Amino acid sequence: MRLHHRLFAGIVLLLAAGASAAGELVVVVSAHNASPALRPDQVAAIFLGQSARFPDGAEAHALDQPVGSALREQFYQRVSGKTEAMLKAYWSKMVFTGRGQPPRDAPDSIAVRKAVADNPALIGYIDRDALDPSVRPVLLLH
């Protein structure tokens, strides 16, 4: 009987670990990009058009997930504390005043990963499950 309890507890732990990993976002750069790990405020600065460079001075261009996607909402909430409505207002002001344009977006995590892998100047965020050796994580968002 105790073996069944231990087996059940093990299965529950595995399922819980899988569920928590599924909600993890990873900020990625090309495997050919030498940029060090980034802090959330550094990532936010790039994605909000406040910085066009990685901390090492290399050029940086953000690549977003589609408007309305759950990944996009989670990402901006975690790195900048901004909701989708706040982002819309922010970018309206930036565009109107000529101070910036929002990042272009890609259809999904796979498309972001492929584009980032091919261009060392790009930075994007993807679901952790979409990671592969073509990109390098610079920030993990739980």
Side-chain angles (χ1 to χ4, degrees):
M1 189 64 138
R2 287 183 176 225
L3 179 61
H4 291 289
H5 288 292
R6 286 184 185 169
L7 183 59
F8 179 74
I11 291 171
V12 168
L13 284 174
L14 284 173
L15 290 174
S20 68
E24 290 183 329
L25 299 175
V26 183
V27 179
V28 294
V29 296
S30 170
H32 303 291
N33 181 319
S35 185
L38 301 175
R39 297 184 318 263
D41 63 308
Q42 293 171 315
V43 171
I46 294 170
F47 276 86
L48 296 174
Q50 299 164 352
S51 176
R53 303 231 169 252
F54 288 108
D56 65 359
E59 188 177 2
H61 298 284
L63 184 60
D64 242 333
Q65 295 281 345
V67 172
S69 73
L71 284 178
R72 182 182 173 119
E73 290 178 27
Q74 291 172 19
F75 171 76
Y76 281 102
Q77 190 65 47
R78 292 175 186 174
V79 299
S80 70
K82 293 188 183 302
T83 64
E84 195 72 37
M86 293 167 78
L87 277 173
K88 185 175 180 180
Y90 174 83
W91 282 114
S92 292
K93 180 180 175 183
M94 292 292 282
V95 169
F96 181 76
T97 59
R99 295 188 317 195
Q101 293 289 322
R104 65 183 177 95
D105 60 354
D108 57 27
S109 287
I110 303 301
V112 169
R113 185 190 70 217
K114 286 179 182 178
V116 168
D118 292 340
N119 185 343
L122 287 179
I123 182 171
Y125 54 94
I126 60 175
D127 188 282
R128 187 174 182 178
D129 293 340
L131 266 178
D132 75 8
S134 69
V135 293
R136 191 171 54 79
V138 290
L139 178 65
L140 176 63
L141 299 167
H142 301 285

